[in-house]
Amino acid sequence: TSEEVLAHVKEHPELMQELKILSVDTEGLGFVADGSDGDGNRFEKHLRLTPGEQYVLYQKMGWVTMGCAKPLDQFIRDAELHMPPTAKASSVFTAPVDKPLFRLDYCFVAAALGAHVQAAQVQHNIRHSDHFPVLFDMQLPSELGKGSRL
């Protein structure tokens, strides 16, 4: 819950530093984020969490870098995971297929086809690049084979 995640972070100063969190206000269920923009301008921002809700605390990285929080369901839906900051610069663009740091592979389909996806499977036994092939099965209505467009 929001209360538990803030209590955990407050007990681990090294984690607060890594997440760019300056201070935790457990009574107000919030924290002060340490931020900077692409021009090097520093700022502080106070964020509040909803009581009793599951949250993820993370370091937002991009034009703005700062400590951030999102409800767990929103984080899963919206977040893009990137290479950890401790990774060597030479490994940023790829990872060895036999020892990946993490892997996100996708199949994209039009929204109208999404309901027809029956299954998806990663082919772990095929190693030709830093990605495994991802296959998916679709059950299409018979009308689609007769010139219908989605």
Side-chain angles (χ1 to χ4, degrees), residues 49-71:
L49 284 62
T50 305
E53 191 167 344
Q54 289 187 317
Y55 268 87
V56 174
L57 300 183
Y58 63 100
Q59 184 184 131
K60 177 181 178 182
M61 300 176 80
W63 174 256
V64 170
T65 299
M66 62 182 274
C68 211
K70 282 187 182 182

Side-chain angles (χ1 to χ4, degrees), residues 14 19-21 23 30 39 46 67-68 71 75 78 83 90 98-100 114 121-122 125 132 134-135 142:
E14 70 285 353
L19 293 174
K20 302 274 187 198
I21 296 174
S23 62
D39 288 330
H46 190 265
C68 211
F75 182 83
D78 298 343
M83 191 67 63
S90 62
D98 57 337
K99 295 180 185 173
Q121 182 181 40
V122 177
N125 59 336
F132 294 122
V134 179
L135 306 176
S142 59

Side-chain angles (χ1 to χ4, degrees), residues 14-101:
E14 70 285 353
L15 183 58
M16 286 178 58
Q17 185 176 5
E18 185 177 337
L19 293 174
K20 302 274 187 198
I21 296 174
L22 293 174
S23 62
V24 174
D25 171 19
T26 50
E27 292 164 10
L29 279 181
F31 65 90
V32 176
D34 179 19
S36 62
D37 65 21
D39 288 330
N41 300 315
R42 296 185 58 106
F43 61 90
E44 294 179 5
K45 183 173 182 177
H46 190 265
L47 293 124
R48 291 194 176 275
L49 284 62
T50 305
E53 191 167 344
Q54 289 187 317
Y55 268 87
V56 174
L57 300 183
Y58 63 100
Q59 184 184 131
K60 177 181 178 182
M61 300 176 80
W63 174 256
V64 170
T65 299
M66 62 182 274
C68 211
K70 282 187 182 182
L72 178 60
D73 61 332
Q74 182 182 356
F75 182 83
I76 291 169
R77 185 179 63 243
D78 298 343
E80 294 179 20
L81 302 178
H82 297 281
M83 191 67 63
T86 56
K88 295 179 183 176
S90 62
S91 66
V92 169
F93 299 106
T94 188
V97 73
D98 57 337
K99 295 180 185 173
L101 296 173

Side-chain angles (χ1 to χ4, degrees), residues 126-141:
I126 300 173
R127 297 180 178 211
H128 295 293
S129 76
D130 60 337
H131 294 274
F132 294 122
V134 179
L135 306 176
F136 62 99
D137 295 323
M138 298 177 71
Q139 180 67 45
L140 299 176

